[in-house]
Amino acid sequence: MIRDPKSVAARCGRLAGDLARRLGAHKVVDDPDLLAELAKDESHAAPRMPDLAVRADSADDVRAVLELAAAHEVPVVARGGGTGKSGGAIPVDGGIVLDLRRMNRIAEIDRENLVAVAEPGVITGALQAAVEAEGLFYPPDPNSLETCTLGGNAAHNAGGPRAFKYGVTREYVLGARVALMGGRAIRTGKRTVKGVAGYDLTALLVGSEGTLGVFTELTLRLVRKPAEIATLLVRMPDEIAAGWAVARIVAAGLVPRVIEFMDAIAVETLRAAGAGGVPANTGALLLVEVDGPDAAGVERDASRLAEIAEAAGAIEVLMARHGGEREQLWAARRTLSDAIKKRARFKVAEDVAVPRAQAPGLLEGLRAIAERRRVLVPSYGHAGDGNYHVNVLWDDEGFDVEPVLAEIFALALALGGTITGEHGVGLTKRAYLGMEVSAESLALQKELKRVFDPKGLMNPGKIFL
Ligand SMILES: Cc1cc2nc3c(=O)[nH]c(=O)nc-3n(C[C@H](O)[C@H](O)[C@H](O)COP(=O)(O)OP(=O)(O)OC[C@H]3O[C@@H](n4cnc5c(N)ncnc54)[C@H](O)[C@@H]3O)c2cc1C
């Protein structure tokens, strides 16, 4: 449903006074310069200004916003770090952006039960640092971890390089407090490792892209911090050989915590941007990490891994000699998305995933699409999970990228994969969801949405066309 922007703006005008009286005027933002910062995310979707923003400090603030917004029939979009790559935080129907960055308290780190309780605006890297200081570990590690939030991670069920061994965000959200449109609050899930009382609403809400409710608190599972890590850089002759090397590592039963892949264009882009530690003359690069409780076990796995990579045609296997070298490589990896963006006037970044053994097929298919369509298609990503960030770059303003994207999605699906491994459907992939999800399943999902949000006010225009 597309709402008339003028009528939403008029209703927001009336709502602003109610919000200011209830929350305090300082929490309600209508300054166009500040609103413009909340109009976009890190996707290629066009920005859209909200009519208002609220800087929530507490779950009570969030509930009040959802109560008043429902009464005035105004759409609300929750927002964390704004790092999403599918347009999820863009307020396409105007209305209110609910800025949750001030809800950034870590309420509890329970060392005995390996649990943390935190507000949704906590920066993911800040939670990681806090638990690591206690000898514990929160594995989900999207590469945006210095700027994204736990709430955004839960809403997108974020993955990251370490998902290969440790899994994605859903595996770490034990329970949540959630505010629903209208102002009701529910508690979902548990604090125990096990628990099967009733429907698993936590699992439904995680990954629902802010369309069902707003996380106001998250109860998160922690693990013990691994004592030892070894980092290897594997230089491969080309991306297809790298794909085979990954398939062989997985087939050999090794479980590195990370297998990151970069094709030749991505490697060359990083080197041109002056990133340290990235080797020259490389057809494709694998950044592999193994971890564990003891040095001997980690060393054994690292040597076995190097043997498999060499048997799969590696030109060279380099080992990071100390933490500084490791950090340098990861710092370079985290700049890759931005560095690639600078290579052309236009860029679309997709994140298809395929079963791991199908990686060579995906990479061959991408090469063919790039040649046929005459576009640059650098790929990199979490090869251990079969999750590739496929970038399409072009300079010509008149170029229509949609048929290229449709071909990339069709390729991933033909290989048994998915159109999005971790970035979500949001706005940018709505038109393609029907390629993967049946009409019956889509109808049921829309019915579920109506149960939570009958008037379609919670992050409207996302996931479904
Ligand atoms: C450089 C870079 C690297 C990235 N690397 C990865 C990666 O490795 N893995 C990965 O999975 N993603 C990655 N991303 C994408 C992005 O960082 C993740 O999707 C992240 O989870 C978004 O968090 P955020 O706080 O920025 O959310 P936002 O962008 O603010 O919002 C994203 C969605 O979550 C909803 N939302 C936000 N907070 C809440 C809440 N409290 N309750 C309900 N809904 C909410 C919003 O409405 C929106 O739909 C990367 C992005 C960048 C720019």
Side-chain angles (χ1 to χ4, degrees):
M1 189 203 329
I2 296 173
R3 290 184 173 81
D4 169 26
K6 281 195 189 137
S7 108
V8 174
R11 276 178 271 141
C12 275
R14 294 192 284 276
L15 171 59
D18 287 357
L19 284 169
R21 276 187 292 280
R22 182 91 166 257
L23 305 175
H26 63 289
K27 293 185 189 168
V28 182
V29 179
D30 58 4
D31 175 336
D33 289 340
L34 296 174
L35 293 179
E37 288 169 20
L38 307 175
K40 55 185 190 293
D41 66 1
E42 292 290 333
S43 71
H44 62 278
R48 164 69 156 92
M49 287 273 275
D51 296 292
L52 284 179
V54 172
R55 292 177 174 143
D57 264 335
S58 66
D60 284 346
D61 287 355
V62 173
R63 280 199 303 274
V65 170
L66 297 183
E67 183 195 318
L68 292 170
H72 288 262
E73 297 207 7
V74 163
V76 177
V77 180
R79 184 181 174 99
T83 67
K85 289 196 151 187
S86 57
I90 299 179
V92 276
D93 276 4
I96 301 174
V97 164
L98 187 51
D99 182 347
L100 297 159
R101 286 173 296 179
R102 286 186 178 172
M103 290 179 66
N104 60 1
R105 287 158 285 243
I106 299 174
E108 195 186 340
I109 297 174
D110 176 348
R111 292 181 60 179
E112 285 180 352
N113 291 305
L114 299 176
V115 164
V117 179
E119 289 185 326
V122 172
I123 297 290
T124 310
L127 179 79
Q128 289 178 345
V131 303
E132 285 179 34
E134 305 272 339
L136 303 174
F137 192 47
Y138 178 67
D141 63 336
N143 275 313
S144 50
L145 60 87
E146 281 154 22
T147 43
C148 67
T149 64
L150 296 175
N153 294 170
H156 269 322
N157 188 20
R162 296 196 291 237
F164 179 56
K165 177 168 180 178
Y166 290 102
V168 295
T169 301
R170 180 173 284 119
E171 271 110 344
Y172 293 87
V173 182
L174 292 170
R177 286 186 193 278
V178 181
L180 304 178
M181 184 49 77
R184 268 185 305 155
I186 55 166
R187 172 101 182 82
T188 73
K190 57 204 185 294
R191 202 185 157 105
T192 48
V193 176
K194 285 178 157 180
V196 290
Y199 287 160
D200 190 348
L201 292 183
T202 314
L204 172 64
L205 286 156
V206 172
S208 64
E209 303 192 15
T211 61
L212 301 181
V214 180
F215 294 109
T216 56
E217 184 187 274
L218 293 159
T219 300
L220 302 167
R221 182 167 77 88
L222 305 174
V223 296
R224 300 267 171 223
K225 188 176 166 189
E228 301 291 334
I229 306 169
T231 304
L232 291 86
L233 257 192
V234 182
R235 285 176 59 216
M236 296 299 299
D238 59 51
E239 72 271 21
I240 316 289
W244 281 116
V246 172
R248 284 183 192 174
I249 290 167
V250 175
L254 286 171
V255 189
R257 72 175 190 171
V258 164
I259 310 182
E260 288 286 287
F261 161 86
M262 292 175 216
D263 73 4
I265 310 172
V267 174
E268 182 200 312
T269 304
L270 275 187
R271 285 183 55 80
V278 180
N281 304 324
T282 296
L285 201 60
L286 294 174
L287 171 55
V288 189
E289 283 192 350
V290 281
D291 69 2
D294 65 284
V298 167
E299 216 169 285
R300 194 181 50 239
D301 281 355
S303 315
R304 176 101 183 87
L305 223 143
E307 278 167 27
I308 296 172
E310 275 158 7
I315 304 167
E316 190 180 18
V317 180
L318 303 156
M319 181 90 81
R321 282 159 302 185
H322 47 74
E325 268 188 6
R326 236 188 109 234
E327 255 326 296
Q328 190 183 35
L329 288 169
W330 280 108
R333 169 64 184 84
R334 287 190 195 110
T335 61
L336 188 51
S337 173
D338 276 345
I340 284 183
K341 201 189 269 179
K342 292 188 185 122
R343 287 197 63 137
R345 283 182 68 201
F346 304 100
K347 171 188 125 165
V348 170
E350 293 304 344
D351 78 316
V352 295
V354 292
R356 292 178 271 232
Q358 308 301 338
L362 177 73
L363 295 164
E364 267 175 52
L366 290 174
R367 191 192 271 179
I369 291 172
E371 279 168 15
R372 197 170 51 251
R373 298 276 183 177
R374 296 168 191 270
V375 276
L376 208 54
V377 184
S379 306
Y380 61 90
H382 318 306
D385 307 323
N387 184 194
Y388 289 83
H389 298 315
V390 179
N391 298 269
V392 183
L393 304 180
W394 72 100
D395 287 316
D396 173 5
E397 207 157 342
F399 178 74
D400 180 10
V401 73
E402 297 299 330
V404 184
L405 302 183
E407 226 182 309
I408 292 170
F409 295 142
L411 169 67
L413 292 171
L415 292 165
T418 170
I419 62 170
T420 173
E422 58 182 19
H423 290 165
V425 178
L427 264 185
T428 58
K429 279 186 279 282
R430 289 181 312 170
Y432 301 102
L433 188 59
M435 289 174 75
E436 177 169 342
V437 177
S438 72
E440 293 77 12
S441 172
L442 274 179
L444 184 62
Q445 293 185 38
K446 287 180 187 174
E447 273 179 51
L448 269 172
K449 160 81 175 158
R450 278 193 291 274
V451 170
F452 280 81
D453 176 26
K455 291 184 179 160
L457 296 168
M458 193 75 252
N459 204 2
K462 307 298 160 59
I463 305 181
F464 311 111
L465 271 179

